[in-house]
């Protein structure tokens, strides 16, 4: 295996039964790998298979055939409980709809992945507070999700994704429900995680503009990769703002 | 995942839907409360009956003439079938260490005593010395029977304070020495009042009524002279020495009589029952009745349990997205299942505890209305707690398992 490879997908096929005898293939043998510390975006129109691909990368679903190795772990061979552990420790999910647990404050939400990982209460709280500070939400730690704005919820969600220090951050349209200014702030957090902490981030989006901010753009169409090219590396906020105004 | 975290999550969830939680609990509350109330009343009646029977004589044994089982067409009982005084003398001699006394009773019929407009109903009871002693009556005035009363068949009687209340304005002293005329089956009998005993109300309904019939005790021989009924007894009550094995002695007694006196009797034999085994029988009977009623009440618990299951299914549907998120964050099927089972167990246990408190209250109120002390059984409380927990697990398992088996992708996408 190549050096520094964080995840490697080989000849991934995924089919769905849509009533016998018909089988509908969504992914037609995808091959790609992501290096450690890479910031990759997967773009494609709806129906291109990017959600299906995201589910497979996120260990939420199994491919019909193919190989998938994540951070040295063979995901294909994992049992259900092992998949839970992979999701828990190796993957940090950020969803478009935030998916914070209702009636549970920011602090407890961030503690949740650590709770499932069996981290002791004192360590959980300490780590959660550290993460809240990182996303600038310390003053809101005792607020429930319904008392937070969209941008604040997404910050908490990012902090939660980072809880167990995962191998990859898997962000599914993280700015999709936010206005452009708030969305900008969220993207800045991702850039910060990438640059300062060297996180491997996979961003799933339908927006070409967002994908251009990442190091590498994988474009999907009808279940196949039609292009895999470098994006524009934007490292400073100033340059990004310029980019936004240009558009 | 720690149990405590689950409890915290469950409590938060239940609190956010307080009304719904309370209504769901209501089924469990009613079920547990009715079981506990029935068990409390059953228990109280049992201990009340026990203590009453103990008052009657814990060491008593009833020896009576009974039909042989094998006979199809039994002839009527004859004088020769009865227990005679001679038999009893032999028996008493044989087991003198185990017999404290043999109580003999002859019922001389019910009668009425009139005094102007006042009247009192009495049941005339002929008793021997042992029979009178075993009654454990409290003497309020005058004296007990003495040997000469029994030996000579004197026309003396001991009456109840209720009798005195009806005829002598409750003045016990005034009653002593009076001669009463009892009208019984068209005949008039005279007795001289020598003593007054305290009437113990054995009935559930408290008797303030004037018409209540109380016992008027006379010596056995007096009663026999009056009824000309001297051949023997249908049954006698043997007062045994305290500390002996009542049941074993009952068996010995039965064998003694049947071998010695009834071996040649074609239709009748002797049966001896100790108070201990009678108590057992009564306990079994009351226990059985209250268990039966409890089972009927427990049906409402099952209905309550179905209510819990129903609401858990609703809750899981509402929280599908939450379940998906938890799974994405690393929750295993087991921890999701545990989370929802914890929730239903909490509903049931809280409902169970409220039900226990309510049930004890209802039971105590019921016994207060009947006028007796309530005996709360700690056992039934323990059973109720365990049972409500079991209902929580049983009816929570199916919904919890359904939640645990949700496909994370579908759950995450659920709106």
């Amino acid at each position: 295996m190549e050096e520094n490879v964080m995840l490697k997908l080989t000849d991934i096929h995924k089919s769905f039964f849509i009533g016998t005898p018909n089988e509908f293939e969504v992914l037609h043998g995808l091959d790609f790998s992501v290096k450690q510390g890479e910031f990759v975006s997967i773009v494609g129109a709806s129906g291109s298979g990017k959600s299906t691909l995201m589910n497979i990368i996120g260990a939420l679903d199994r491919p019909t055939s193919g190989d998938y190795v994540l951070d040295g772990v063979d995901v294909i061979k994992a049992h259900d409980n092992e998949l839970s552990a992979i999701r828990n420790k190796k993957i940090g999910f950020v969803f478009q709809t935030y998916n914070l647990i209702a009636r549970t404050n920011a602090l407890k939400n961030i503690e949740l992945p650590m709770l499932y990982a069996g981290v002791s209460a004192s360590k959980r709280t300490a780590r959660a507070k550290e993460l809240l500070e990182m996303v600038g939400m310390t003053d809101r730690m005792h607020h429930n999700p319904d008392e937070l704005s969209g941008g604040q919820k997404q910050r908490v969600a990012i902090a939660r994704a980072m809880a167990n220090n995962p191998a990859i951050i898997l962000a599914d349209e993280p700015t999709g429900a936010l206005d452009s200014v708030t969305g900008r702030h969220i993207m800045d957090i991702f850039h910060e995680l990438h640059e300062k902490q060297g996180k491997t981030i996979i961003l799933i989006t339908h927006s070409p503009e967002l994908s251009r901010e990442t190091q590498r753009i994988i474009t999907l169409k009808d279940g196949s990769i039609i292009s895999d090219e470098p994006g524009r590396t934007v490292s400073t906020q100033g340059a990004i703002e310029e980019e936004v105004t240009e558009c | 995942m720690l149990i405590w975290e689950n409890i915290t999550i469950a409590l938060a969830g239940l609190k956010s839907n307080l009304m719904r939680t309370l209504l769901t609990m209501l089924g469990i509350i009613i079920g547990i409360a009715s079981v506990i109330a029935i068990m409390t009343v059953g228990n109280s009646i049992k201990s009340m009956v026990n203590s009453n029977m103990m008052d009657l004589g814990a060491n008593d044994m009833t020896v009576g003439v009974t039909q042989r089982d094998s006979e199809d067409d039994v002839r009527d009982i004859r004088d020769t079938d009865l227990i005679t005084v001679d038999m009893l003398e032999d028996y008493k001699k044989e087991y003198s260490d185990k017999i404290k006394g043999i109580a003999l009773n002859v019922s001389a019929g019910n009668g009425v005593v009139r005094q102007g407009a006042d009247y009192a109903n009495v049941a005339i009871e002929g008793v021997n010395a042992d029979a009178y002693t075993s009654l454990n009556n409290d003497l309020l005035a005058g004296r007990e029977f003495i040997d000469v009363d029994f030996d000579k068949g004197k026309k003396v009687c001991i009456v109840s304070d209720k009798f005195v209340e009806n005829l002598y304005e409750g003045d016990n002293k005034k009653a002593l020495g009076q001669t009463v005329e009892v009208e019984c089956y068209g005949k008039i009998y005279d007795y001289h009042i020598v003593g007054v005993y305290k009437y113990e109300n054995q009935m559930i309904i408290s008797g303030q009524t004037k018409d209540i019939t109380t016992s008027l005790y006379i010596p056995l021989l007096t009663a026999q002279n009056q009824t000309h009924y001297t051949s023997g007894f249908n049954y006698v009550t043997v007062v045994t020495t305290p500390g002996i094995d009542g049941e074993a002695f009952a068996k010995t007694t039965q064998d003694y009589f049947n071998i010695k006196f009834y071996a040649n009797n074609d239709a009748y034999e002797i049966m001896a029952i100790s108070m201990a085994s009678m108590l057992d029988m009564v306990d079994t009977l009351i226990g059985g009745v209250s268990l039966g009623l409890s089972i009927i009440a427990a049906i409402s618990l099952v209905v309550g349990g179905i209510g819990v299951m129903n609401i858990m299914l609703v809750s899981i549907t509402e929280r599908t997205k939450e379940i998906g998120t938890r799974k994405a964050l690393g929750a295993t099927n087991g921890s999701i299942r545990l989370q929802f089972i914890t929730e239903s167990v909490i509903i049931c246990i809280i409902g169970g505890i409220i039900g226990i408190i309510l049930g004890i209250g209802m039971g105590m109120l019921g016994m207060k209305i009947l006028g007796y002390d309530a005996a709360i059984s700690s056992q039934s409380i323990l059973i109720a707690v365990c049972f409500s927990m079991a209902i929580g697990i049983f009816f929570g398992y199916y919904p919890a398992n359904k939640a645990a088996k949700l496909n994370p992708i579908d759950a995450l996408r659920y709106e």
Side-chain angles (χ1 to χ4, degrees):
Chain A
M1 190 181 273
E2 290 170 63
E3 217 182 320
N4 289 337
V5 168
M6 187 52 96
L7 68 91
K8 185 171 169 63
L9 291 125
T10 317
D11 196 22
I12 295 288
H13 289 264
K14 179 70 186 178
S15 312
F16 292 102
F17 285 105
I18 48 164
T20 43
N22 300 323
E23 212 174 79
F24 178 66
E25 191 168 84
V26 180
L27 300 177
H28 315 291
L30 303 187
D31 281 292
F32 73 93
S33 57
V34 175
K35 287 208 269 307
Q36 190 179 344
E38 241 184 329
F39 193 169
V40 184
S41 57
I42 296 170
V43 268
S46 46
S48 61
K50 64 182 191 316
S51 293
T52 308
L53 180 60
M54 188 207 83
N55 289 338
I56 290 169
I57 295 172
L60 291 166
D61 201 0
R62 296 168 194 273
T64 311
S65 69
D67 278 326
Y68 174 27
V69 177
L70 171 64
D71 196 21
V73 178
D74 189 344
V75 179
I76 305 297
K77 291 203 180 98
H79 299 298
D80 278 358
N81 278 354
E82 288 166 329
L83 281 184
S84 295
I86 289 168
R87 291 195 291 265
N88 185 228
K89 298 205 177 71
K90 304 261 182 221
I91 301 161
F93 287 93
V94 179
F95 302 97
Q96 180 176 4
T97 50
Y98 330 118
N99 289 30
L100 297 181
I101 305 295
R103 300 178 298 272
T104 306
N105 67 30
L107 193 70
K108 293 275 175 208
N109 258 291
I110 297 169
E111 282 187 28
L112 204 58
M114 295 185 268
L115 191 72
Y116 289 124
V119 177
S120 75
S122 57
K123 280 188 186 158
R124 285 201 308 260
T125 313
R127 170 78 176 148
K129 283 182 177 164
E130 192 183 303
L131 290 164
L132 276 166
E133 204 186 323
M134 183 189 84
V135 295
M137 289 286 293
T138 306
D139 55 336
R140 298 285 170 145
M141 71 167 111
H142 296 300
H143 288 242
N144 285 352
D146 55 4
E147 297 159 338
L148 299 174
S149 71
Q152 288 171 330
K153 279 189 229 184
Q154 200 59 298
R155 282 161 191 261
V156 173
I158 293 169
R160 185 176 67 180
M162 286 293 291
N164 286 333
N165 200 11
I168 58 166
I169 298 272
L170 191 56
D172 179 20
E173 301 278 9
T175 59
L178 300 172
D179 62 82
S180 58
V181 176
T182 320
R184 181 69 262 144
H185 291 314
I186 294 301
M187 281 308 290
D188 288 344
I189 294 173
F190 282 118
H191 283 295
E192 205 178 295
L193 285 175
H194 173 233
E195 279 155 29
K196 291 195 180 145
Q197 300 195 28
K199 276 281 140 207
T200 311
I201 300 171
I202 298 172
L203 174 72
I204 286 129
T205 181
H206 68 278
S207 147
E209 290 129 62
L210 275 185
S211 70
R212 259 182 262 134
E213 288 184 28
T214 63
Q215 289 176 314
R216 182 178 159 201
I217 306 163
I218 296 170
T219 311
L220 278 183
K221 195 181 178 191
D222 298 331
S224 302
I225 295 174
I226 54 161
S227 76
D228 186 348
E229 56 198 6
R232 276 170 57 178
T233 309
V234 185
S235 54
T236 64
Q237 212 171 313
I240 288 162
E241 270 168 352
E242 219 170 81
E243 174 88 6
V244 170
T245 42
E246 267 175 34
C247 295
Chain B
M1 180 96 161
L2 296 162
I3 267 290
W4 179 245
E5 305 289 347
N6 266 321
I7 292 172
T8 322
I9 292 167
L11 284 176
L14 295 175
K15 221 169 92 184
S16 68
N17 267 317
L18 199 59
M19 192 62 190
R20 191 165 86 182
T21 307
L22 287 177
L23 286 173
T24 309
M25 264 181 203
L26 202 58
I28 301 293
I29 293 173
I30 291 170
I32 292 279
S34 41
V35 171
I36 292 282
I38 287 165
M39 284 178 97
T40 303
V41 169
N43 233 31
S44 309
I45 289 177
K46 197 148 110 183
S47 67
M48 182 185 93
V49 169
N50 275 3
S51 82
N52 278 354
M53 286 180 80
M54 284 310 223
D55 284 349
L56 289 178
N59 298 311
D60 286 3
M61 179 173 77
T62 305
V63 179
V65 182
T66 178
Q67 290 174 0
R68 282 189 196 278
D69 287 342
S70 54
E71 292 297 311
D72 290 335
D73 199 15
V74 182
R75 62 171 171 77
D76 283 345
I77 195 161
R78 289 195 289 251
D79 283 358
T80 49
D81 296 321
L82 299 177
I83 303 167
T84 63
V85 175
D86 292 339
M87 288 181 195
L88 293 172
E89 288 298 326
D90 287 355
Y91 168 63
K92 206 169 171 179
K93 231 175 274 168
E94 184 78 25
Y95 299 104
S96 56
D97 56 328
K98 287 180 175 157
I99 300 167
K100 231 174 103 184
I102 296 175
L104 300 175
N105 292 55
V106 165
S107 184
N110 288 356
V112 60
V113 180
R114 293 183 197 281
Q115 211 146 86
D118 294 330
Y119 65 94
N121 293 321
V122 292
I124 307 167
E125 297 282 345
V127 292
N128 73 349
D130 289 335
Y132 190 77
T133 313
S134 74
L135 289 169
N136 282 327
N137 277 341
D138 283 341
L139 193 72
L140 297 174
R143 63 167 177 86
E144 309 275 17
F145 291 124
I146 49 174
D147 287 349
V148 69
D149 296 334
F150 292 116
D151 295 345
K152 302 276 185 216
K154 292 224 169 197
K155 291 191 168 181
V156 292
C157 69
I158 298 178
V159 296
S160 70
D161 53 348
K162 279 263 181 281
F163 178 93
V164 175
E165 210 177 287
N166 282 358
L167 296 179
Y168 302 102
E169 294 98 35
D171 187 349
N172 294 339
K173 289 263 158 52
K174 194 177 159 193
L176 292 175
Q178 299 281 345
T179 302
V180 290
E181 291 183 340
V182 185
E183 197 185 314
C184 176
Y185 303 135
K187 288 184 179 174
I188 303 279
Y189 301 101
D190 292 346
Y191 307 110
H192 198 64
I193 300 174
V194 293
V196 180
Y197 72 90
K198 189 173 188 317
Y199 175 70
E200 298 271 2
N201 190 358
Q202 304 276 353
M203 300 293 160
I204 302 275
I205 314 116
S206 54
Q208 289 306 319
T209 156
K210 200 173 151 69
D211 291 321
I212 195 163
T213 299
T214 64
S215 294
L216 179 145
Y217 297 104
I218 59 174
L220 182 70
L221 189 58
T222 319
Q224 283 175 326
N225 289 342
Q226 188 173 306
T227 56
H228 310 293
Y229 196 70
T230 52
S231 45
F233 303 91
N234 269 316
Y235 72 92
V236 298
T237 304
V238 176
V239 183
T240 59
T241 316
I244 67 153
D245 182 347
E247 252 171 275
F249 187 54
K251 181 88 180 60
T252 312
T253 303
Q254 201 169 305
D255 290 347
Y256 175 82
F257 274 93
N258 285 335
I259 292 165
K260 196 163 177 191
F261 306 114
Y262 285 81
N264 297 321
N265 194 308
D266 60 333
Y268 290 88
E269 62 179 355
I270 291 294
M271 191 160 85
I273 302 167
S274 69
M275 187 58 96
S277 58
M278 258 195 283
L279 271 180
D280 276 356
M281 275 154 58
V282 170
D283 279 3
T284 311
L285 188 76
I286 296 170
V289 169
S290 78
L291 183 72
L293 288 173
S294 298
I295 288 170
I296 293 169
I299 292 171
S300 64
L301 261 181
V302 174
V303 177
I306 292 168
V308 171
M309 179 147 93
N310 190 20
I311 222 68
M312 289 307 295
L313 285 171
V314 171
S315 163
I316 280 155
T317 308
E318 277 179 0
R319 287 151 75 183
T320 301
K321 197 163 185 173
E322 177 191 322
I323 294 162
T325 306
R326 284 179 185 277
K327 287 196 154 187
L329 296 178
T332 57
N333 290 358
S335 55
I336 297 285
R337 193 181 298 126
L338 189 64
Q339 182 192 335
F340 285 99
I341 286 182
T342 307
E343 207 170 301
S344 80
V345 167
I346 285 176
I347 293 179
C348 290
I349 286 189
I350 295 176
I353 290 168
I354 297 172
I356 287 167
I357 295 166
L358 218 65
I360 289 174
M362 272 156 50
M364 277 166 57
L365 191 74
M367 290 315 287
K368 205 173 175 87
I369 289 168
L370 294 180
Y372 288 93
D373 292 339
I376 299 148
S377 82
S378 51
Q379 202 190 350
S380 68
I381 292 169
L382 196 72
I383 291 171
V385 170
C386 293
F387 202 65
S388 52
M389 196 142 82
I391 284 175
I393 293 170
F394 185 80
F395 289 101
Y397 187 83
Y398 171 71
N401 204 39
K402 201 178 160 193
K405 283 189 172 157
L406 280 177
N407 181 344
I409 306 164
D410 297 339
L412 272 171
R413 238 183 253 142
Y414 185 87
E415 288 296 337

